[in-house]
Amino acid sequence: MRADKLFGLANSWQVGRRLMKKKWLVFWGLVFIAYCIAVYYYIFHWSDTSIPSSLQGSAVDPQTFMSKEQLAQSNHYSNVKNLLFFVLTPLEWLFYVSVLVFGVSRSLENWSMKKGRGLRTISYVVALSFITFLFFLPIKFYSYRLGVLYNLSTQSIASWLQDSVIDFVVDLAYLTVTALVLFWLIRRFGRKWWFYAWILTVPFTIFMMFIQPVVIDPLYNDFYQLKDKALEQKILSIAHRANIPAEHVFEVNMSEKTNTLNAYVTGIGANSRIVLWDTTLEKLSDDEILFVMAHEMGHYVKKDIYQGMGIYLAASFVGLWLVSVVLSAVLAKKNNQMGLTSHRDMSVLPFILLLISILSFIYSPIDNSFSRMQESRADRYALEMTHDPESGVSSFQKLSSFGLTQVNPPFLVKLFRYGHPTMLERLIKMDAADSK
């Protein structure tokens, strides 16, 4: 065959691939837009978030503890945040697929191959992470400005940018270590890489939980011992009754960034901590704080951290196996649309991240359901420890008011976003206990 004919065929093939990519972009772009419209109407128009008529006027009814302005802000803010969640998730999938289909991942790999052997994977991960960071930065900034608009965030732009950079560095370090280990396992064990990767998640998860309170959390905020020593002794008294080996309660200066409230028990072993946001100290009474802390201690007593870790590891086992199966199936197809050719190629990383994101989204209702069960159990434990359902009711009301939390969110929002029972459910139980 003449060279000019070969060139013509090659050129036609390239043109055909470009047309296919354009058609792909148009098709999935239209699907994404249609999905966004459907989600918008579901959240803003089709969902009933009202309180049952039998509960109107009771302590459960937000009209009894929120102003009309707060109610309107709560509904609108929650709707926008929920919409962002349901839009961002498939947008992330679309981003990863685009990086693969349009050859960005392959180009990054070719570029990284020019670096030294020890820097190839690191160079690729840094470049991919930076592109991802820049792509999603405008949406994250919009979410931040939304919090400022509704007076939930008190954070300056400079502080927000600093936290965003810290997020980027922490995520980059995590992904770099993961990628280095992952591709070593692939080269060493071939298609059984997923099993050995899962084995390594066990010590890695425990290690991350151990260092979280003392290494990662202080990157974002200042932690110090609770200044109110009388309150600290009350909290430690409950902790000792619960056999929690705590010597101090920690306070964190979250008022520099938010008006919302929170408290938690974090870490494992010697690094476990009882933590209160200063906004919680400022806006809740001592009795309300003791109820909230008793709830958090309930998680420690019931060993929720370890149960959650066990479920996470079980889900990781299934998830990594599924990633391996799907990846092998795609690689088995020659000239697949994403340009994937081998497990060993760094360009497969976005596809692995895509699969993990999809599987995480599918699994999230199961994970949230289990978490809601733990939270309900912690609420019951707080009642048993404090015998103060009135403080339970008032603390939940204030958490809703200051956080502009939707008391009765749409069903799909609860399913995919709520690791806690809804405020409607929690207030009903607290109010029932208070009526006894």
Side-chain angles (χ1 to χ4, degrees):
M1 186 179 291
R2 291 173 54 184
D4 57 340
K5 289 186 177 181
L6 286 173
F7 178 78
L9 287 172
N11 188 52
S12 298
W13 182 78
Q14 290 290 345
V15 171
R17 281 186 64 84
R18 284 196 292 268
L19 287 173
M20 285 291 293
K21 289 177 180 180
K22 288 181 180 179
K23 288 180 180 179
W24 177 91
L25 182 63
V26 171
F27 174 76
W28 286 110
L30 292 174
V31 169
F32 178 70
I33 292 171
Y35 163 82
C36 292
I37 293 172
V39 170
Y40 168 82
Y41 274 95
Y42 171 77
I43 291 174
F44 280 86
H45 299 289
W46 298 337
S47 299
D48 182 12
T49 59
S50 62
I51 303 299
S53 57
S54 60
L55 297 174
Q56 290 177 2
S58 69
V60 176
D61 187 353
Q63 293 189 39
T64 64
F65 57 87
M66 285 189 191
S67 66
K68 288 184 178 180
E69 182 182 6
Q70 282 179 314
L71 273 172
Q73 288 181 334
S74 171
N75 285 325
H76 191 262
Y77 176 77
S78 297
N79 286 340
V80 173
K81 291 291 287 185
N82 292 333
L83 178 63
L84 281 176
F85 169 80
F86 282 106
V87 167
L88 270 175
T89 302
L91 182 62
E92 181 183 25
W93 305 343
L94 199 60
F95 171 79
Y96 284 133
V97 174
S98 298
V99 164
L100 291 163
V101 170
F102 291 97
V104 176
S105 185
R106 179 64 66 185
S107 297
L108 290 178
E109 182 175 26
N110 292 338
W111 168 78
S112 65
M113 292 297 288
K114 299 176 183 177
K115 308 299 177 183
R117 186 173 181 82
L119 294 175
R120 290 174 183 174
T121 302
I122 296 174
S123 299
Y124 176 89
V125 172
V126 170
L128 178 64
S129 297
F130 188 66
I131 291 171
T132 306
F133 174 76
L134 290 180
F135 182 83
F136 288 102
L137 187 63
I139 302 174
K140 291 180 179 179
F141 181 73
Y142 172 77
S143 181
Y144 153 70
R145 291 301 301 171
L146 192 67
V148 173
L149 178 65
Y150 283 92
N151 200 34
L152 295 178
S153 175
T154 59
Q155 192 173 19
S156 66
I157 293 180
S159 175
W160 177 81
L161 284 172
Q162 178 179 312
D163 281 355
S164 297
V165 171
I166 293 173
D167 281 342
F168 172 75
V169 173
V170 171
D171 291 344
L172 176 61
Y174 177 81
L175 185 58
T176 300
V177 172
T178 301
L180 287 169
V181 173
L182 178 65
F183 286 107
W184 179 82
L185 291 173
I186 289 173
R187 289 191 295 270
R188 178 71 175 80
F189 299 105
R191 294 191 178 186
K192 294 182 180 179
W193 65 267
W194 68 271
F195 178 72
Y196 295 97
W198 176 77
I199 290 176
L200 290 177
T201 62
V202 179
F204 184 73
T205 301
I206 295 172
F207 174 72
M208 290 301 297
M209 293 183 68
F210 187 77
I211 69 167
Q212 181 80 32
V214 294
V215 176
I216 298 177
D217 289 346
L219 294 173
Y220 297 89
N221 296 99
D222 295 326
F223 290 77
Y224 38 85
Q225 291 182 20
L226 185 60
K227 298 172 185 176
D228 188 338
K229 294 303 176 183
L231 177 59
E232 183 180 47
Q233 286 306 310
K234 292 178 183 178
I235 295 172
L236 291 177
S237 175
I238 297 178
H240 293 155
R241 283 166 53 200
N243 295 316
I244 297 176
E247 297 181 0
H248 300 286
V249 178
F250 287 87
E251 183 178 342
V252 56
N253 62 330
M254 287 301 297
S255 57
E256 294 180 357
K257 298 180 180 180
T258 183
N259 285 318
T260 59
L261 317 180
N262 197 15
Y264 56 91
V265 177
T266 185
I268 56 175
N271 283 355
S272 58
R273 282 184 171 185
I274 300 172
V275 180
L276 273 165
W277 287 10
D278 60 348
T279 51
T280 304
L281 291 165
E282 185 181 313
K283 295 170 182 175
L284 296 189
S285 68
D286 282 7
D287 287 340
E288 291 166 343
I289 290 171
L290 291 176
F291 182 90
V292 170
M293 294 313 301
H295 166 97
E296 298 302 331
M297 292 175 195
H299 290 303
Y300 183 95
V301 171
K302 301 299 181 180
K303 303 187 185 305
D304 288 347
I305 292 177
Y306 300 101
Q307 291 175 14
M309 187 187 303
I311 291 175
Y312 167 76
L313 292 174
S316 297
F317 181 87
V318 177
L320 285 169
W321 173 74
L322 286 172
V323 168
S324 175
V325 169
V326 175
L327 178 59
S328 296
V330 171
L331 289 171
K333 295 182 178 180
K334 294 183 179 180
N335 298 322
N336 57 74
Q337 193 68 27
M338 298 186 206
L340 303 178
T341 56
S342 171
H343 289 78
R344 297 170 179 264
D345 294 343
M346 286 181 291
S347 56
V348 305
L349 184 59
F351 188 68
I352 293 174
L353 295 175
L354 167 68
L355 294 178
I356 291 174
S357 179
I358 293 173
L359 291 173
S360 297
F361 183 75
I362 294 171
Y363 171 69
S364 61
I366 300 172
D367 185 47
N368 287 337
S369 177
F370 180 77
S371 177
R372 288 195 297 269
M373 180 190 71
Q374 289 183 325
E375 296 296 337
S376 293
R377 187 170 61 190
D379 283 348
R380 291 195 298 271
Y381 183 83
L383 279 174
E384 293 168 4
M385 291 297 286
T386 64
H387 304 288
D388 189 6
E390 183 179 352
S391 291
V393 170
S394 58
S395 63
F396 288 147
Q397 288 176 337
K398 289 181 180 180
L399 284 169
S400 299
S401 299
F402 289 115
L404 295 182
T405 304
Q406 206 166 27
V407 173
N408 187 26
F411 172 74
L412 289 180
V413 172
K414 174 186 173 181
L415 198 66
F416 284 95
R417 294 205 66 194
Y418 273 55
H420 289 70
T422 66
M423 280 301 178
L424 177 66
E425 295 166 335
R426 301 178 88 175
L427 282 167
I428 287 174
K429 291 180 180 179
M430 286 297 128
D431 191 42
D434 190 29
S435 301
K436 291 181 180 179

